[in-house]
Amino acid sequence: MGLETAATAARENDVSRRPGSPPSAPAGFPDGIALFLDLDGTVLDLAATPGGVSITPEALAAIGVLAQRLEGALAIVTGRGLEDVDRILSPLRLPAAALHGAELRRCGGGRVSEAGVGAPPDRLTAALGAFVDARPGLALEDKGASVAVHFRQAPHREGEVKERIGELVAQLAPAHELQPGKMVVEVRPRGCDKGTALKRMMAEKPFAGRIPWMFGDDLTDEFAFAAANDLGGVSVLIGAVSRPSVARHGLADPDAMRAWLVALAAAA
């Protein structure tokens, strides 16, 4: 599903109301679920730079407890690379759909599979580097399978960034596409998104046969929300609950997300 399709689905969903609270743990822990967690803006507070984030010890401990209780059916679904995921969540090594699903790590931390798509061409990365270097406040993040331009420290450049990157991708990388996010524009392989990754993971043990609960905050998470909804699961938007979204539930901010995880872990 493309970004325009996800946006259309969000508009067609009943977005005139704020999403309701996500399901709380019923009497007895809900062992039949599978948890899918975005990181930045969901479990983690946003930071000025991608490397500036950290997780609270309480949230990290809760994630560890939940992963064990769910027999491994807890995955990270993120635009970050696997190395970043492991650094942030150390010592945990969880199943993950990294780089929007371009990298998939199965349960047990073993074999990593890739989506079979190449990284953005070197000439595109070089052109983006030159564009960023000429504009103070922009930052280039080369993730391998994707590349991102952050404008958190220069929000007035948003229109310029989107327009120029769109031109460069059309000229130099037709097999890739733009993925807008919070103060970032990412270039990723076409057709590679979090929804496809969630469905791939749900087809395998230990996720197969469970009910997916997806938590995220950004436009990139709309694909995963839609996938969870399609599978009869739960979709939870963190933060901007007033924006159009296919998510059916909401939590106010990452603090509320972390508190929810801690409470669910206590129920376990």
Side-chain angles (χ1 to χ4, degrees):
M1 179 171 63
L3 183 59
E4 291 184 1
T5 305
T8 300
R11 288 192 296 269
E12 291 176 350
N13 193 45
D14 181 11
V15 296
S16 60
R17 58 177 176 79
R18 293 168 63 90
S21 298
S24 57
F29 186 81
D31 286 295
I33 67 172
L35 288 180
F36 293 89
L37 305 175
D38 174 49
L39 287 179
D40 297 84
T42 299
V43 176
L44 311 176
D45 293 317
L46 294 174
T49 63
V53 301
S54 62
I55 187 169
T56 64
E58 295 81 7
L60 183 63
I63 290 172
V65 168
L66 292 170
Q68 183 176 19
R69 179 60 186 266
L70 295 173
E71 299 179 335
L74 186 155
I76 303 301
V77 184
T78 177
R80 288 181 178 268
L82 281 171
E83 289 185 4
D84 251 3
V85 172
D86 290 343
R87 173 182 61 81
I88 293 167
L89 299 181
S90 178
L92 300 180
R93 188 175 173 86
L94 302 170
L99 300 178
H100 306 284
E103 295 178 326
L104 282 181
R105 179 166 64 205
R106 266 62 177 185
C107 187
R111 180 169 62 91
V112 174
S113 71
E114 298 184 358
V117 290
D122 290 342
R123 57 182 181 169
L124 173 64
T125 304
L128 291 175
F131 174 76
V132 166
D133 289 344
R135 290 159 181 82
L138 301 186
L140 183 71
E141 183 183 11
D142 188 349
K143 304 179 183 181
S146 66
V147 61
V149 174
H150 297 267
F151 52 90
R152 185 171 299 279
Q153 299 183 41
H156 60 284
R157 295 194 182 276
E158 178 177 3
E160 180 186 10
V161 168
K162 290 180 177 178
E163 180 179 0
R164 184 55 181 155
I165 296 179
E167 293 171 351
L168 290 173
V169 170
Q171 294 169 9
L172 304 176
H176 290 69
E177 62 185 348
L178 264 64
Q179 175 59 68
K182 288 183 177 177
M183 298 296 180
V184 64
V185 176
E186 189 158 355
V187 179
R188 67 178 188 193
R190 188 174 296 279
C192 186
D193 62 62
K194 292 183 178 182
T196 301
L198 187 150
K199 287 187 173 181
R200 287 180 65 186
M201 299 185 85
M202 282 296 297
E204 302 178 356
K205 293 182 178 180
F207 301 95
R210 293 175 175 267
I211 299 172
W213 290 17
M214 173 65 201
F215 296 78
D217 72 304
D218 209 344
L219 291 174
T220 61
D221 298 306
E222 291 297 326
F223 303 99
F225 292 154
N229 292 343
D230 288 346
L231 295 172
V234 171
S235 49
V236 185
L237 176 65
I238 311 303
V241 293
S242 61
R243 73 164 172 82
S245 175
V246 298
R248 294 171 177 167
H249 305 277
L251 284 169
D253 51 34
D255 274 341
M257 174 80 256
R258 292 187 290 266
W260 189 91
L261 289 170
V262 170
L264 190 65

